[in-house]
Amino acid sequence: MDKLVINGQSKLSGTVEISGSKNAALPILMGCLLAETPVKLGNVPHLMDVTTTLHLLGAMGVDILFDENCCIEIDASKVNHREAPYELVKTMRASILVLGPLLARFGEAKVSLPGGCAIGSRPVNIHLDGMEAMGATIDVQDGYVVATVEGRLQGADIEMPVVTVTGTENLLMAAVLAEGVTILRNAAREPEVTDLAQFLVKMGAKITGIGTDTLVIEGVKRLNGVEYRVIPDRIEAGTYLAAAVLTQSILTVTKVVPQHLKAVIEKFKEAGADVCCTAETITIDMQGRKLRPVDISTAPYPDFPTDMQAQFLVMNCVAEGKSKVEENIFENRFMHVSELARMGAKIDVDGNTALIHGVEQLKGARVMATDLRASACLVLAGLVAEGETVIDRVYHIDRGYELIEEKFHKIGAHIYRRT
């Protein structure tokens, strides 16, 4: 099993080109099942979750081609298998997103209840309740969701009890081919949801309210393939910027949308960094600056994202003073705390709150990644720690960060992979 080895305390400099967003690419790939003609996608990151999704689509009869420009052409005109088996989806939470497209276009779907990061319960009941409201018959048997509908799904007025990104995406994809009007209330507003909606509109869907918490979808009879480019990964960008803050460096990330990181950028400034943005770049300057502790409270977009919680927690570990991090999205997302403690961090966890007492120096140690963002935070800790840090189970990080050791090595980090 691969490991990442990091020798810390190097300064970083230069630029990092940000890859396409994993959390946008996955639902868009699933959404290709709705199109009756081929879709051509650009800026899709090379990640394990993307590879798993392509294997899943291929197993359903989707034809997949790669061109010389690294674009992916997906032809779902000959889908002949409407099942997502456990073997293909056990490592990936987003696999549930095939349910809406399959049910909407083909009237049936059998999808294994998914796996993914063990960061707390992320129940699919909101997805299923919404589809039942649209006329589907849902049965859960032997670990599978079996869904059918006679004729077309029917438009419905759906109030989601909590904000859910995948729930919004799944119901949105189900609604675009439904008969009549569907209203999704309390919808997620994340850029990745907006990207999916804009992709669907380009294919011929009728959606209003994009970017707000109320989406109105007027169902159409068919969608056609288009060319589309996935948005940049705001969490990857935020992770590299956090690395610059920790190592007191100057770093620029390119091919980003700064507006997507507005809440994160404000917290970087609060931590003492100088931040400069252009239309597609963010430059962070921490040279000669004192890192200040910042309190964090995660919440749905446009507030501070849960996927940046671990990275800021590491920053607080080496900031002078006390800070508080509240995790309000997932109830089990402090598993990195015990690993950071092995490196000398002082953190007390009480329910959904971590109280951090900054220390002067972290020490390199052997640690274990427990989920995707936890692995990223351990990489950041290794970059600033004294000595060598070895991170086990880095398959988690390969799910969400493209060529992470190569990108970090390019900007001056001493990091390599070994088996």
Side-chain angles (χ1 to χ4, degrees):
M1 191 176 291
D2 285 1
K3 302 172 178 60
L4 284 178
V5 182
I6 304 166
N7 289 297
Q9 298 187 305
S10 295
K11 291 287 185 180
L12 307 179
S13 64
T15 63
V16 179
E17 185 175 303
I18 298 304
S19 301
S21 167
K22 173 184 84 84
N23 289 339
L26 296 183
I28 286 173
L29 285 167
M30 310 295 191
C32 292
L33 288 166
L34 293 162
E36 297 184 10
T37 54
V39 174
K40 193 171 185 178
L41 296 177
N43 206 35
V44 178
H46 300 289
L47 301 169
M48 285 180 62
D49 277 7
V50 170
T51 300
T52 300
T53 300
L54 294 175
H55 282 313
L56 174 58
L57 294 175
M60 294 178 178
V62 175
D63 289 329
I64 301 168
L65 296 173
F66 298 85
D67 68 16
E68 66 277 4
N69 297 317
C70 297
C71 288
I72 305 175
E73 184 174 293
I74 297 170
D75 184 354
S77 63
K78 299 176 183 177
V79 171
N80 54 21
H81 196 59
R82 291 142 196 182
E83 178 179 341
Y86 175 75
E87 291 73 22
L88 282 176
V89 306
K90 61 184 178 181
T91 63
M92 189 178 66
R93 198 79 197 176
S95 57
I96 193 66
L97 290 173
V98 299
L99 182 62
L102 287 176
L103 187 59
R105 185 169 167 210
F106 302 106
E108 60 179 352
K110 183 179 180 182
V111 181
S112 173
L113 291 169
C117 290
I119 57 173
S121 65
R122 290 185 278 186
V124 299
N125 61 293
I126 295 173
H127 308 229
L128 307 187
D129 291 346
M131 291 180 199
E132 284 185 328
M134 298 169 71
T137 299
I138 306 285
D139 190 19
V140 179
Q141 49 185 251
D142 302 322
Y144 280 80
V145 176
V146 180
T148 58
V149 64
E150 291 189 16
R152 294 169 65 187
L153 291 169
Q154 301 296 305
D157 193 327
I158 300 169
E159 174 94 29
M160 288 176 279
V162 296
V163 177
T164 161
V165 171
T166 55
T168 300
E169 292 167 339
N170 224 347
L171 294 175
L172 176 61
M173 289 189 284
V176 291
L177 293 181
E179 186 173 15
V181 175
T182 299
I183 303 174
L184 299 180
R185 303 184 191 275
N186 199 29
R189 300 165 56 190
E190 273 70 4
E192 297 78 16
V193 176
T194 294
D195 204 31
L196 172 64
Q198 291 172 340
F199 167 67
L200 296 171
V201 167
K202 194 169 183 182
M203 289 203 298
K206 296 181 179 180
I207 306 169
T208 58
I210 295 173
T212 76
D213 62 1
T214 303
L215 296 172
V216 180
I217 307 102
E218 183 182 343
V220 297
K221 291 186 176 180
R222 58 176 290 164
L223 296 178
N224 293 308
V226 294
E227 291 190 17
Y228 196 80
R229 186 172 177 82
V230 175
I231 60 171
D233 195 313
R234 61 191 172 107
I235 304 303
E236 183 193 24
T239 300
Y240 284 104
L241 294 173
V245 170
L246 277 161
T247 57
Q248 293 189 303
S249 304
I250 301 177
L251 189 69
T252 298
V253 294
T254 65
K255 296 189 176 180
V256 295
V257 181
Q259 182 63 27
H260 292 171
L261 282 157
K262 187 176 179 181
V264 174
I265 288 170
E266 290 305 311
K267 286 297 179 180
F268 279 134
K269 291 177 179 178
E270 189 179 327
D274 180 62
V275 185
C276 180
C277 301
T278 70
E280 293 188 347
T281 71
I282 304 171
T283 299
I284 201 158
D285 183 355
M286 198 63 186
Q287 282 195 143
R289 295 170 180 271
K290 183 177 180 180
L291 178 57
R292 298 194 291 260
V294 293
D295 292 340
I296 297 296
S297 182
T298 65
Y301 189 85
D303 293 324
F304 193 90
T306 179
D307 281 351
M308 283 298 300
Q309 174 255 102
Q311 296 90 318
F312 269 76
L313 191 146
V314 175
M315 287 168 46
N316 284 335
C317 286
V318 293
E320 185 178 341
K322 298 179 181 180
S323 57
K324 179 172 67 174
V325 173
E326 291 181 346
E327 175 53 60
N328 299 307
I329 306 298
F330 297 120
E331 76 277 9
N332 194 25
R333 209 168 199 183
F334 284 135
M335 291 188 290
H336 42 286
V337 165
S338 59
E339 300 303 301
L340 291 171
R342 293 171 55 82
M343 301 178 72
K346 294 184 178 179
I347 309 167
D348 297 313
V349 175
D350 182 12
N352 72 328
T353 302
L355 301 174
I356 303 104
H357 305 260
V359 297
E360 188 172 333
Q361 182 68 63
L362 295 177
K363 304 288 186 180
R366 184 160 187 166
V367 291
M368 182 176 67
T370 53
D371 63 70
L372 172 55
R373 305 307 170 186
S375 9
C377 99
L378 295 176
V379 170
L380 298 185
L383 291 173
V384 75
E386 180 181 49
E388 182 181 86
T389 298
V390 180
I391 305 173
D392 286 310
R393 295 176 66 182
V394 296
Y395 60 83
H396 283 295
I397 209 164
D398 292 334
R399 292 182 49 237
Y401 290 88
E402 184 176 46
L403 304 173
I404 188 167
E405 68 269 30
E406 294 180 28
K407 288 187 177 184
F408 267 121
H409 181 75
K410 182 181 175 182
I411 57 176
H414 297 291
I415 179 173
Y416 65 93
R417 184 178 296 242
R418 76 178 188 207
T419 54

